[in-house]
Amino acid sequence: MYLDIDGTICFDGRQIDNEIVERLLSLHNIGCTVIFASARPIRDLIPVLPKQFHLFPLIGGNGSIVSINGHIRPLATIQPKSFKVIKDVINHYALDYIVDDQWDYAARVDESHTIFRRLNILINLRLLNLSLVVSQPILHLVMITMILRCYNTLRLAIL
């Protein structure tokens, strides 16, 4: 059984209701394979799930990354040459963004954006500067780039 997280079994973006958790555990206990899927990267999916689900199969980043028994593995990455073009566009048009690799990320997100509260900023998680991402091998396997807001839509439309 594949289950989407946000809006399907998690309605506040932070936790799953205990009744849903108990029913999912009941299904698991009778032999049903429960797989969680999300647009979120694995690092942002884990805090939403109760601990007893952390070793279940997880699909994150819209299928670009999986976690099986706690081992995270990328399935699709953005090639460095393509990412350089994306980075140049982000910088040229002053776009808000989130760029993810297996665990770390780079972001420029306004606090008023709805996704801001869903970013899992932990002590062991590095929020990286995008200018370093291409010049130094800090984000090793870039998997997701989200453009969140453009302040100059006219200039971007010309692109």
Side-chain angles (χ1 to χ4, degrees):
M1 168 189 305
Y2 291 86
L3 293 164
D4 179 48
I5 300 297
D6 293 300
T8 304
I9 62 172
C10 176
F11 302 103
D12 65 0
R14 296 180 184 263
Q15 64 183 9
I16 300 169
D17 183 83
N18 284 336
E19 185 176 339
I20 294 172
V21 170
E22 289 173 18
R23 291 179 187 237
L24 292 174
L25 286 173
S26 294
L27 287 168
H28 172 72
N29 291 338
I30 62 169
C32 183
T33 300
V34 178
I35 301 170
F36 297 100
S38 180
R40 296 173 184 240
I42 300 296
R43 107 178 144 254
D44 293 338
L45 180 55
I46 290 172
V48 173
L49 296 172
K51 288 189 187 222
Q52 57 265 50
F53 295 137
H54 287 191
L55 296 180
F56 281 37
L58 309 175
I59 302 170
N62 289 320
S64 65
I65 188 169
V66 296
S67 178
I68 307 293
N69 294 320
H71 300 287
I72 298 173
R73 184 170 60 101
L75 299 179
T77 61
I78 299 171
Q79 297 304 308
K81 189 174 182 178
S82 297
F83 182 65
K84 182 177 180 338
V85 172
I86 293 167
K87 178 186 162 281
D88 290 345
V89 170
I90 287 170
N91 288 328
H92 184 77
Y93 294 102
L95 304 174
D96 283 0
Y97 61 86
I98 300 173
V99 176
D100 287 293
D101 80 351
Q102 284 178 268
W103 197 256
D104 295 314
Y105 69 103
R108 179 173 53 224
V109 182
D110 187 270
E111 289 183 26
S112 66
H113 197 284
T114 56
I115 203 165
F116 182 81
R117 70 181 183 93
R118 292 187 178 172
L119 287 175
N120 182 29
I121 302 174
L122 300 172
I123 293 170
N124 65 338
L125 189 65
R126 296 181 299 168
L127 173 57
L128 304 167
N129 183 310
L130 186 65
S131 64
L132 299 177
V133 172
V134 171
S135 63
Q136 300 173 21
I138 294 173
L139 291 184
H140 303 287
L141 296 168
V142 175
M143 294 172 297
I144 307 167
T145 302
M146 291 190 303
I147 306 300
L148 302 173
R149 184 176 294 158
C150 175
Y151 295 101
N152 191 340
T153 54
L154 180 59
R155 283 188 67 192
L156 187 59
I158 294 170
L159 176 69

